[in-house]
Amino acid sequence: IKILFTKVFDLLSFIQPNLWDRTAKSLILVLISETDLILGKYTPSNQRLTLNRGQQLLEKFSLLVNEHYLTDYNLDFYANQLNISINYLHKIVHTFLNSTPGALIQNAVLEHSLHLLKTSDYNISEIADKLSFNDVYSFSKFFKKKMRVSPTKYREQLLSEFAVTELDK
């Protein structure tokens, strides 16, 4: 678990400070959800904690986002999958995370884009395509709005930081 959290916080180190809190909460919620699923396999049913309806829906929403964020941006999809209204989905996410459902979906897309920029050799157009953006301009606009730097500049910064780290060794 310590290694997992270390890797999560390593990823978070590339996030702009104004997005860090929301992104950290989203990632930790997913980790808690996944941990709960794993522990549920080993905990006798009479000893399991019961979550209230809002927490259960939030957990299901987080799992749906992790599974569908590349193909479904529309909140109607998520609300329909959970058999609730969009307004109720907003209320749940705001109550527990002080965020919006759309922001959670965008954070998942942003996290994936950061990962691809950091670990792949795909060009920006290929990354935009993999993230289901209509074109590279839309992706670049989204990325720059979130990170305050273009995807190309972000990758250049990563490469220059890596080069400096390698020189320090």
Side-chain angles (χ1 to χ4, degrees), residues 129-145:
D129 187 53
K130 290 193 174 301
L131 296 172
S132 301
F133 281 87
N134 291 333
D135 53 48
V136 70
Y137 174 77
S138 299
F139 169 63
S140 294
K141 185 176 175 182
F142 164 81
F143 191 90
K144 191 167 188 176
K145 181 179 178 185

Side-chain angles (χ1 to χ4, degrees), residues 46-112:
N46 62 346
Q47 292 180 0
R48 291 187 189 144
L49 295 174
T50 55
L51 302 176
N52 72 34
R53 176 164 162 71
Q55 291 168 318
Q56 289 173 350
L57 288 169
L58 183 60
E59 183 177 311
K60 289 178 184 176
F61 173 66
S62 294
L63 292 172
L64 283 169
V65 168
N66 286 332
E67 188 175 337
H68 298 285
Y69 69 92
L70 290 177
T71 56
D72 287 294
Y73 302 120
N74 192 327
L75 294 183
D76 284 332
F77 168 80
Y78 296 96
N80 287 336
Q81 291 292 311
L82 297 168
N83 294 316
I84 59 174
S85 70
I86 292 175
N87 287 339
Y88 190 54
L89 179 58
H90 272 279
K91 182 179 178 181
I92 291 168
V93 173
H94 182 73
T95 299
F96 290 100
L97 299 176
N98 196 28
S99 187
T100 66
L104 295 181
I105 296 166
Q106 289 178 0
N107 283 342
V109 173
L110 181 63
E111 288 300 319
H112 195 152

Side-chain angles (χ1 to χ4, degrees), residues 158-169:
L158 283 175
L159 292 173
S160 66
E161 288 173 12
F162 178 74
V164 168
T165 304
E166 288 298 310
L167 288 174
D168 289 342
K169 287 183 179 180

